[in-house]
Amino acid sequence: MKVFEKSNNVFTILSEAVSEGIIVVNEQQTIVATNGSAEQLFGYLKDELIGKSLNILIPLEYHHAHKGHFERFVEHSEKRQMGHGRDLHGVRKDGSMFAVEAGLNPFTIYGNNYVMALVIDITNRKKQEQEIQELNKNLEQKVVARTKDLNTTISALQEEVKLRKEAEEKITESLKKERELNELKTKFLSLVSHEFKTPLSGILTSATLAGKYTKEQQQDKREKHLDTIKSKVKYLDNILNDFLSIERLETGKVSYKFTSFPLSKVINEVIYNANMLLKDGQKIVYPQNADEFTIHFDEKILELILSNLVHNAVKYSGEHTTIDLKVEKQKEYFKFTIQDEGIGIPKKEQKFIFKRYFRAENALLDQGTGIGLNIVKSHLENLGGSITFTSTEGVGTTFEISLPISTTETH
């Protein structure tokens, strides 16, 4: 399937950005897609695994049992998180075996069922666990031997026990964090497969229909489907940009380019793009005083911040509603206000709104990744700004952004 081809930008960006091995198989357990990490992990060349049976990566003695496990897993279509279930082993191209851990996620694209596995080598972890067992065994032997001379050895023994507990706590905490990270990555892959399936299906449908409208009097219908394709491609591009932003923010690779520009330039671009998403009767109120201000800031970051909030206001508001965008220059801050008449955020969920991947219960039916506000908040914190909001469910939401004037003028 084309969506899994290495030349496909979407799959390449998503799979190669993940450091762990990704393997996708169909219902016949045939490998249809891998990333570079998986190929390196199992000792294969680029694309060498494509078309091969999954059994090539599983030790021979587990082949018979694995067939039944796989069929039951596909039948029940339940995700399995890393670290759950039995010990697993993989086999490299050279025949060597090694311990692995795999997070499994079933999904369907264009009517075909697949299973995506996120695979990591846990040889070092197994070694650490063995070292802990040996350490405990040795310490117990030392305790038995040294009790004969308790008065002279008690202080040293207590110190050794303390060090052992500290080592165990550190390793336990390290393993806990590793599992949490792996579960987050599994959730990320599940989210990506879900968010990409719907727009990809829409693009395919619109492309097919547009191809049928070849007559001049059918150009309006053709243009309608072409606009749909453009809109969905733009949506996919925004998701990719969000994921790339997260990677840069987490690795500290984000850099800011400060220039002086008219504030109206960014606001015009944000509102122009948002107008393409408006529902029947919706309107955006342009800030009349925007032409008065020149700002020294990262133009792309400001556009990202405002676009995210304005697009959310449009998405979560109904027909015949108004989105009001205001800007004012205070003594120490530029203040931006985005007010909508939408569904609002439930009070009990408002404390989670900036948490990555969080979606409020009343917003689950709308497309979204739950990472936009997290990215906005991260950029603002990096730049000394802030974001706050007030919201009433069923009435609307107002977001306020503050950018320190001293920060914008000194970078």
Side-chain angles (χ1 to χ4, degrees):
M1 182 174 288
K2 291 184 177 181
V3 72
F4 293 124
E5 292 179 358
K6 289 290 184 177
S7 59
N8 184 287
N9 288 332
V10 173
F11 180 79
T12 300
I13 292 175
L14 293 176
S15 64
E16 297 301 332
V18 178
S19 60
E20 285 71 20
I22 294 178
I23 299 173
V24 182
V25 300
N26 59 20
E27 289 182 297
Q28 291 73 42
Q29 300 189 52
T30 299
I31 299 171
V32 299
T34 62
N35 68 348
S37 296
E39 292 159 350
Q40 182 179 6
L41 185 64
F42 287 92
Y44 286 86
L45 300 177
K46 181 179 180 182
D47 295 337
E48 191 176 0
L49 286 170
I50 304 302
K52 301 290 194 305
S53 170
L54 181 60
N55 280 337
I56 196 175
L57 305 180
I58 300 172
L60 181 61
E61 58 266 33
Y62 298 128
H63 283 190
H64 179 72
H66 180 266
K67 183 176 184 296
H69 294 323
F70 182 90
E71 291 174 349
R72 286 192 294 273
F73 175 80
V74 174
E75 180 180 354
H76 294 291
S77 296
E78 295 178 352
K79 291 181 286 187
R80 187 175 74 198
Q81 303 295 332
M82 286 198 170
H84 295 184
R86 61 187 60 82
D87 289 339
L88 302 177
H89 292 83
V91 59
R92 298 187 180 90
K93 184 178 180 180
D94 63 7
S96 60
M97 288 177 53
F98 62 106
V100 300
E101 198 168 64
L104 305 180
N105 180 53
F107 63 98
T108 302
I109 294 182
Y110 303 143
N112 297 311
N113 296 322
Y114 299 90
V115 174
M116 180 182 295
L118 183 66
V119 183
I120 62 173
D121 184 344
I122 61 171
T123 301
N124 289 336
R125 185 199 300 174
K126 290 294 184 182
K127 182 179 178 182
Q128 287 180 334
E129 292 173 349
Q130 181 62 34
E131 289 176 351
I132 292 176
Q133 293 175 1
E134 290 295 326
L135 178 60
N136 288 336
K137 181 179 178 180
N138 292 336
L139 286 173
E140 289 172 358
Q141 293 173 350
K142 290 179 181 180
V143 169
V144 172
R146 293 182 183 181
T147 51
K148 297 179 181 180
D149 195 11
L150 184 59
N151 292 331
T152 58
T153 62
I154 189 64
S155 296
L157 183 58
Q158 288 177 337
E159 182 64 22
E160 193 167 357
V161 171
K162 178 183 177 181
L163 291 175
R164 183 193 70 175
K165 290 182 178 179
E166 290 177 353
E168 288 179 346
E169 290 174 356
K170 289 180 180 179
I171 294 176
T172 300
E173 182 65 23
S174 176
L175 294 177
K176 179 183 177 182
K177 290 182 178 179
E178 181 181 347
R179 288 192 175 95
E180 289 176 349
L181 178 60
N182 288 332
E183 288 180 2
L184 184 62
K185 289 181 178 179
T186 299
K187 183 178 180 180
F188 163 80
L189 291 174
S190 176
L191 175 68
V192 169
S193 62
H194 173 75
E195 286 300 315
F196 273 82
K197 183 173 72 172
T198 301
L200 285 173
S201 297
I203 290 172
L204 178 62
T205 300
S206 293
T208 301
L209 293 175
K212 295 181 180 180
Y213 298 128
T214 58
K215 297 180 180 180
E216 183 175 352
Q217 59 270 29
Q218 295 176 320
Q219 288 308 299
D220 288 344
K221 295 181 178 180
R222 180 181 177 88
E223 289 296 329
K224 177 181 177 181
H225 288 294
L226 291 177
D227 288 340
T228 297
I229 292 173
K230 293 176 183 177
S231 174
K232 293 187 180 300
V233 169
K234 178 68 174 177
Y235 175 74
L236 291 173
D237 184 61
N238 288 337
I239 293 179
L240 288 175
N241 287 334
D242 283 347
F243 287 138
L244 291 174
S245 293
I246 285 179
E247 192 273 337
R248 286 193 291 266
L249 285 165
E250 285 190 340
T251 58
K253 295 179 179 178
V254 61
S255 59
Y256 298 104
K257 182 180 180 181
F258 289 84
T259 58
S260 295
F261 56 90
L263 185 56
S264 58
K265 177 183 179 183
V266 169
I267 292 179
N268 287 337
E269 184 69 18
V270 170
I271 293 181
Y272 175 81
N273 291 330
N275 281 335
M276 298 170 58
L277 307 173
L278 292 179
K279 301 169 187 174
D280 186 29
Q282 274 189 329
K283 65 177 181 178
I284 301 174
V285 178
Y286 186 92
Q288 296 300 319
N289 60 339
D291 294 334
E292 301 175 9
F293 305 123
T294 296
I295 187 171
H296 190 73
F297 200 69
D298 187 309
E299 184 174 342
K300 292 297 182 182
I301 295 300
L302 182 58
E303 182 179 342
L304 180 151
I305 292 172
L306 294 179
S307 292
N308 186 284
L309 296 175
V310 173
H311 288 185
N312 279 351
V314 172
K315 179 164 61 173
Y316 296 120
S317 298
E319 298 178 349
H320 305 287
T321 56
T322 299
I323 293 89
D324 195 6
L325 176 59
K326 300 177 181 178
V327 58
E328 59 180 304
K329 187 176 182 181
Q330 299 180 340
K331 184 176 181 181
E332 298 180 352
Y333 292 90
F334 272 107
K335 179 181 176 183
F336 298 85
T337 304
I338 299 91
Q339 183 176 9
D340 66 49
E341 301 171 347
I343 60 177
I345 306 166
K347 187 174 182 180
K348 65 179 181 179
E349 297 183 321
Q350 290 183 9
K351 62 183 177 180
F352 305 113
I353 201 67
F354 293 110
K355 186 176 181 180
R356 189 179 304 169
Y357 301 127
F358 176 78
R359 310 272 326 278
E361 289 182 358
N362 60 349
L364 294 178
L365 295 180
D366 295 289
Q367 281 190 319
T369 60
I371 61 178
L373 288 177
N374 178 267
I375 292 173
V376 167
K377 190 171 188 295
S378 296
H379 281 305
L380 287 171
E381 288 177 346
N382 287 346
L383 297 169
S386 65
I387 179 171
T388 59
F389 71 94
T390 57
S391 184
T392 301
E393 191 171 7
V395 177
T397 302
T398 299
F399 278 93
E400 289 188 356
I401 297 171
S402 294
L403 296 178
I405 292 178
S406 59
T407 300
T408 62
E409 291 179 348
T410 57
H411 277 78

